[in-house]
Amino acid sequence: MTLYADISEHGRAARPALVDGFGRAVSYLRLSVTDRCDLRCVYCMAEHMTFLPKAQVLTLEELDRIASAFVGLGTRKLRITGGEPLVRKGVMDLIGGLSRHLASGDLDELTLTTNGTRLAEFAPQLAGVGVRRINVSLDTLRPDLFRTLTRGGDLAKVLAGIDAAQAAGLRVKINAVALKNDNAAELPELIAWAHGRGLDMTLIETMPLGEVEADRTDQYLSLAAVRRELESFWTLTDLPLSTGGPARYVQVEDTGGRLGFITPLSHNFCESCNRVRLTCTGALHSCLGQEDASDLRAVLRAGGAESDLIDAIRLAVDAKPKGHDFQIARAQPAVARHMSTTGG
Ligand code: SAM
Ligand code: SF4
């Protein structure tokens, strides 16, 4: 061990970590950098969305300041999301700037979730600033269904983006939302395709966030049912791996790849939750499924000092709710804001 390592280890240990009122350490921040998107996925957005006026959205400097305050409080993982993060002007300046925390050893991982449409352009730059893994959302390999589900998207662009990401050396995980009437029958093919390219794959249940045109009880497909179906022709072996998040992983022996299940509705994952989310307006949500939020933008724009920001973050984390309260059968969404606002 060098003296430097001793000092940094000591520094880290001495840093008061963010721990909530239920004793859960919060070490993971999801940062939404925009509510805008170049797609309109049917389960995520309404067809005609009203986006936020620019003045309400945090500047790149404000986003950096808040994210860096979290890093100073012991956050080890940052995920950039949205809306679509790669449509935010200057997003590479933000990501490049935040990568200084990777270089200093204060951050373990800087990553992002993207729809992939602009990855062909951004993948080399992302790899260049130290991003190692990304999540790409892709629900189907059928160009027509892709166009319908995203209301006009071009599948070829996403596939080219995934190619570019792999060529740049990024590890890619594919996230697909399981939709009863749309991609249910295609899921085995999608999983086999991902595993055939050496990509991990995660399936997500639809969550009742925000008003959309479609009826969620129609779209909802239980992943317990998907798993039973997959097990009728594949061997799935449970993996002990836990990310502190909602995913449970299996090894698909037949394809040689890893498959995750995110089941907020049929399996409650709150007891091990280590994450909080910041919207692009500076609202800090300590739980995806509850309305509670702290307004960090107000702290910054009132000219708050670093200590005010840290106090506001600590207060919000301390009040992190015990768990969410999603029920697909309810007519109303559990929370009014869309996933694109909170950041998926
Ligand atoms: N635009 C980027 C993308 O699509 O990857 C990042 C933001 S998007 C809101 C993040 C993830 O949330 C995507 O994987 C998307 O499929 C998922 N998502 C959006 N609305 C959802 C909902 N109502 N239920 C479950 N997942 C949802
Ligand atoms: Fe855009 Fe992502 Fe929402 Fe689709 S899921 S509309 S790509 S923010």
Side-chain angles (χ1 to χ4, degrees), residues 36-41 43-45 82-84 115 137 150 339-340:
R36 288 163 199 259
C37 186
D38 52 347
L39 301 180
R40 296 283 183 280
C41 301
Y43 46 78
C44 176
M45 290 198 181
E84 172 47 39
N115 64 25
S137 303
T150 58
M339 186 73 126
S340 54

Side-chain angles (χ1 to χ4, degrees), residues 213-287:
E213 283 86 354
D215 180 344
R216 290 186 202 279
T217 27
D218 275 359
Q219 292 178 315
Y220 177 69
L221 173 62
S222 151
L223 290 184
V226 173
R227 182 174 175 153
R228 274 196 302 278
E229 164 76 12
L230 296 177
E231 281 178 321
S232 70
F233 46 84
W234 280 342
T235 303
L236 308 184
T237 309
D238 281 311
L239 294 172
L241 204 85
S242 171
T243 56
R248 298 288 172 270
Y249 290 93
V250 298
Q251 176 79 14
V252 181
E253 304 299 346
D254 313 72
T255 60
R258 216 163 63 171
L259 177 64
F261 296 92
I262 300 188
T263 55
L265 294 158
S266 60
H267 178 101
N268 191 300
F269 50 79
C270 303
E271 66 285 348
S272 60
C273 180
N274 64 351
R275 60 199 60 195
V276 293
R277 293 172 161 84
L278 186 80
T279 71
C280 61
T281 59
L284 182 64
H285 290 279
S286 56
C287 174

Side-chain angles (χ1 to χ4, degrees), residues 41 45-46 68 88 94 96 182 190 209 223 231 253 257 307 316 324:
C41 301
M45 290 198 181
S68 299
R88 172 83 197 246
L94 175 71
D182 298 304
L190 189 58
L209 301 173
L223 290 184
E231 281 178 321
E253 304 299 346
S307 57
H324 67 62

